[in-house]
Amino acid sequence: MTQHDIPLAGVIGNPIAHSLSPRLHKHWLGRYGLKGDYVPLHVHEEDLEQVVRTLPRMGFVGVNITIPHKVAILDLVDHISDRAILIGAANTLIFRKDGKIHADNTDGYGFVSNLRQGAPDWRPDAGPAAVLGAGGAARAVISSLIEVGCTEILLSNRTRQNAEALKHDFGSKVHVVDWVQAGNMIEEAATVVNTTSLGMTGGAEFRVPLDGLRPGTVVTDLVYNPLRTRLLLTAEAAGCTVVDGLGMLLHQAVPAFERWFGTRPAVDEATRAAVLG
Ligand code: NAP
């Protein structure tokens, strides 16, 4: 047996103690009886390059990358997937056997897979998608919505120029709407996505007017702490189909786990229960 017979993976961030990813990957390793481990790695920006170059020599097959390193990591790797280039950030590294480091972004995949699981009748071409927020998560959401066939994206953000920057990058399917008009934008949408951090426990409240929500609209919130956000509770009461944000976190981990440990894991109630503890 060689010293690297047990594949290791982990998540690099700062801070990192709050991350649910170790619980998720350890659950899957146990469930499928696989050799391996997954650890949280607290890494400062100035140490990032040295850490990612050293980990493969210690038996690591890859890592997840989280805040604040998702953009900076792109300058430190050998190969970047097309979708990570488009999004401008990576959340997954694969340490290849030839010594090269490959960066990918699976957030958009996780977003769409979660919608499809939580709202099986959801169709990306059913009507405009209204996206609130224009940060890193919005880039992943918009790129994946376009990829699966959404033809019109209404985008509203507190800082309009950040929304304009996304329109510049993603093209004519994106229409920027003033933040004060965000409530009206929701009325026209078949799909509503909150990608802002509004509504997160301990953070600023979600105050976008929601009177325009109609029965049948599919509404999802990337915030998953709390699981039932004000947006989701209001949408549910209005007869919308709601999908919480925890599933996106679970689904984005599927391709990486499969690549690192050789088994494609399921996302189901047992997975959610394991992660929620
Ligand atoms: P980010 O790049 O920092 O962007 C934050 C966004 O929230 C920006 O659009 C920002 O608007 C907006 N915002 C922040 N405070 C606001 C306020 N008081 N009023 C109005 N808008 C405000 O963060 P991110 O990486 O995109 O993440 C956004 C959220 O998604 C976080 O809560 C994160 O935890 C969550 N997320 C969840 C998943 C998942 O798997 N479920 C994955 C990724 C992210 P400005 O441009 O005006 O600053």
Side-chain angles (χ1 to χ4, degrees), residues 67 70 107 132-138 157-160 162 179 194-198 200 204-205 221-224 245-250 252:
I67 292 168
K70 285 171 120 175
D107 276 340
L132 300 158
N157 189 53
R158 174 181 62 177
T159 309
R160 188 177 170 113
N162 294 344
W179 186 236
N194 175 40
T195 78
T196 74
S197 48
L198 291 173
M200 204 192 280
E205 262 181 64
D221 199 332
L222 268 56
V223 170
Y224 54 82
L246 181 65
M248 175 172 167
L249 179 81
L250 308 182
Q252 63 78 30

Side-chain angles (χ1 to χ4, degrees), residues 218-233:
V218 174
V219 180
T220 185
D221 199 332
L222 268 56
V223 170
Y224 54 82
N225 180 17
L227 263 186
R228 315 293 287 167
T229 60
R230 177 178 165 245
L231 168 63
L232 295 186
L233 290 169

